[in-house]
Amino acid sequence: MSRIEEELRAAFERHEDQTPATGPVRDKINIAWVRAKRRRLVLRTTGAAAAVVLAGAALPVAFQQWHQGAQQAPAVNVLSSIGPSQPAVAGPLDVLVIGSENRLTAASGDPHADTVVMIHISADRSRAYAVGLPRAESSLRNTLARGGPERTTSMVSAFTGVEFAATATVDYRAFRAITGAVNGIEVCRSKQCEQLDADTVTPVLRTDPERVLQALATRVITDGTVTDPARIAKLVRAGGNGVTMDGDTQTLLGAAATLADAEIVAVSSPKDPEDLYAAVRSDGLADWVLANPDHVLR
Amino acid sequence: MTYEEFADSRLSALLRYATMLTGDPHSAEDLVQETMVRVQLNWKRVQRSDSPDGYVRRMLTNQFIELRRGSWWRRVLLRAEPDPSVPVPSDHADRSAERDRVWSMLSGLPRRQRAALVLRYYEDLPDQEIADVLGCAVGTVRSSISRALATLRTELVEAR
């Protein structure tokens, strides 16, 4: 062994006593771990937030109530820490929700955009509209497999003229899980109401996605889930893995936090949807809805 | 093995290794802390690997080499403490300064080379295992160690 090698060994050995004691480091690791877990929870909450947005923009309401709840009960401070810290966003907000049969992350199988719904939150934050897009558009269905959510979003933007702040892609398993987590939903079609659970929601989701979103949102708001952190957490776990968000999530959450209350209106596309798209672009859906009561799903 | 058991049995060895890599106890603490949080996040994968011990050593080494990506280095920079590995010149410190010259010169080496030196001359690993940790060929390990030794040798001669 050369002299330099010996000196190296000796130098390493000499400095062994500089090694920090394990006890304090162990404590620091535990503290850092708790922080890391909290960060992860916030990320998952964002996923769940997306799940609820897709459930007809109930999220804004939910966030507001979490925020109010947090001032009384410190137990929900993790959830509330997202909302109020975001700057308020002025103007209307559009989010595209893509429901897909297959998991996007799966290597095999072509994910199809089976359900495409625009969520439009009005500038005054009094209403959120779920606008179903005609799913018969086979070219739209295939965009998801060919170019992912970005391609679907740009295609919808191209034919509607609407710019989306964010896109939420949700697989049907997440829809099923969320439906199960809220103990089923009631979907009404032409005055006939139907109870749906996790196993029966999928076919209706294919034919009437905007009604399912509306029913989910209504359920989440009326049964008090939005005010109960434990049930929110359950919803988070249910939707978490099947939801992906693209785009400006921060803006979305920021806008959500400014909402005090919102009515959820589900709208179906008429045969000639140009007026409807124009109303979305100009934030004039309130007038459009008054003029086209037949296309409002109640 | 649970994470707790792993930490109980391996933490002190990891801290020693990190001290040799970074040359300073504060950076070593930060490096180990950052790594162990990642270990916990990915514990299932760590547990499933052939050697959890080796897996974690690889994580820690990568974190050290690619330090710009991790946050521990930013913390070190922000703290901006004087580097304790640089000997303070004073009369009675001369002898130890001379002795610690090799140690302080290590900080001038590329991180990959320093890691290779620590793995061979402190951890006493065979070259094949060093190659596994660094994720390169055995030949690359040998050449980077000889390059590092050559650098140290030249600097020592110049200093004397």
Side-chain angles (χ1 to χ4, degrees):
Chain A
M1 183 175 296
S2 70
R3 172 145 177 246
I4 186 79
E5 287 175 300
E6 278 168 29
E7 283 191 29
L8 259 178
R9 272 187 201 283
F12 285 137
E13 233 167 80
R14 244 189 348 265
H15 288 84
E16 251 184 2
D17 59 7
Q18 284 201 3
T19 305
T22 52
V25 177
R26 190 80 191 262
D27 293 343
K28 277 197 203 164
I29 293 169
N30 288 339
I31 293 166
W33 168 236
V34 170
R35 265 194 227 123
K37 268 197 299 195
R38 205 171 289 157
R39 266 203 307 273
R40 199 159 62 160
L41 174 64
V42 170
L43 285 179
R44 286 207 179 143
T45 310
T46 313
V52 185
V53 162
L54 64 96
L59 167 81
V61 185
F63 262 102
Q64 188 60 28
Q65 300 199 7
W66 282 337
H67 176 37
Q68 287 167 351
Q71 287 165 347
Q72 293 140 21
V76 290
N77 59 0
V78 173
L79 296 172
S80 71
S81 68
I82 310 169
S85 61
Q86 302 306 326
V89 178
L93 191 71
D94 292 289
V95 182
L96 193 68
V97 177
I98 305 170
S100 162
E101 187 81 49
N102 303 74
R103 276 186 76 81
L104 286 172
T105 46
S108 60
D110 285 349
H112 283 287
D114 293 309
T115 302
V116 181
V117 176
M118 295 193 281
I119 304 284
H120 176 86
I121 300 172
S122 63
D124 63 6
R125 305 289 185 256
S126 64
R127 274 182 170 181
Y129 299 86
V131 182
L133 292 173
R135 101 185 176 90
E137 291 256 13
S138 65
S139 51
L140 183 62
R141 281 171 54 95
N142 292 330
T143 50
L144 194 61
R146 284 207 224 99
E150 301 85 16
R151 183 129 173 203
T152 308
T153 308
S154 61
M155 183 161 177
V156 173
S157 284
F159 74 76
T160 61
V162 176
E163 295 292 326
F164 296 97
T167 305
T169 314
V170 189
D171 68 35
Y172 278 12
R173 286 199 294 180
F175 272 113
R176 283 198 284 272
I178 294 168
T179 307
V182 298
N183 297 320
I185 51 172
E186 189 182 61
V187 174
C188 299
R189 281 178 292 190
S190 41
K191 289 182 186 160
Q192 280 202 319
C193 292
E194 193 181 354
Q195 285 292 327
L196 299 175
D197 60 21
D199 297 324
T200 52
V201 73
T202 311
V204 184
L205 194 56
R206 288 207 188 90
T207 53
D208 288 289
E210 57 289 309
R211 285 182 200 267
V212 173
L213 293 181
Q214 185 190 33
L216 265 174
T218 309
R219 176 76 194 212
V220 166
I221 294 167
T222 55
D223 78 350
T225 297
V226 287
T227 54
D228 182 346
R231 276 151 85 182
I232 293 279
K234 199 174 151 199
L235 211 61
V236 169
R237 281 196 298 276
N241 288 333
V243 183
T244 3
M245 287 293 282
D246 296 288
D248 194 352
T249 320
Q250 291 299 314
T251 302
L252 177 66
L253 295 180
T258 64
L259 280 172
D261 195 4
E263 184 191 355
I264 293 116
V265 184
V267 175
S268 68
S269 276
K271 281 233 160 57
D272 178 12
E274 282 311 315
D275 282 357
L276 172 62
Y277 298 156
V280 174
R281 290 196 297 270
S282 62
D283 197 21
L285 270 171
D287 292 338
W288 188 90
V289 163
L290 281 178
N292 300 272
D294 293 351
H295 289 285
V296 178
L297 312 169
R298 297 232 184 230
Chain B
M1 183 170 39
T2 66
Y3 164 79
E4 295 296 324
E5 287 163 356
F6 177 83
D8 284 341
S9 64
R10 296 297 304 160
L11 192 58
S12 66
L14 284 170
L15 277 168
R16 277 200 299 276
Y17 175 51
T19 305
M20 299 308 151
L21 282 181
T22 60
D24 131 65
H26 299 293
S27 313
E29 263 186 37
D30 288 343
L31 180 58
V32 168
Q33 178 189 314
E34 203 89 15
T35 306
M36 290 303 268
V37 169
R38 285 193 189 186
V39 167
Q40 255 169 308
L41 279 171
N42 301 298
W43 179 244
K44 283 209 182 102
R45 202 183 316 155
V46 175
Q47 207 179 10
R48 272 200 309 268
S49 68
D50 299 337
S51 152
D53 205 13
Y55 195 98
V56 172
R57 183 153 46 192
R58 210 155 51 230
M59 283 172 76
L60 191 141
T61 312
N62 285 336
Q63 183 109 8
F64 169 68
I65 292 172
E66 299 163 16
L67 42 74
R68 265 163 230 283
R69 290 191 207 164
S71 64
W72 73 272
W73 179 246
R74 251 172 282 140
R75 253 183 279 144
V76 172
L77 284 180
L78 287 174
R79 192 185 286 129
E81 274 177 12
D83 186 356
S85 65
V86 178
V88 183
S90 76
D91 282 350
H92 60 270
D94 268 1
R95 263 190 67 84
S96 70
E98 170 67 30
R99 287 204 324 174
D100 275 352
R101 193 155 277 145
V102 180
W103 178 253
S104 53
M105 273 166 22
L106 281 171
S107 60
L109 291 175
R111 283 164 192 280
R112 199 165 254 284
Q113 289 185 15
R114 176 166 186 155
L117 290 183
V118 173
L119 288 165
R120 186 192 269 180
Y121 299 108
Y122 179 71
E123 298 278 303
D124 281 321
L125 292 188
D127 289 353
Q128 179 58 56
E129 282 184 41
I130 298 176
D132 290 344
V133 174
L134 295 177
C136 61
V138 177
T140 316
V141 170
R142 290 189 186 133
S143 65
S144 65
I145 287 179
S146 66
R147 214 171 307 137
L149 290 178
T151 311
L152 293 181
R153 217 173 271 132
T154 320
E155 284 182 23
L156 267 187
V157 170
E158 279 169 9
R160 271 169 193 153

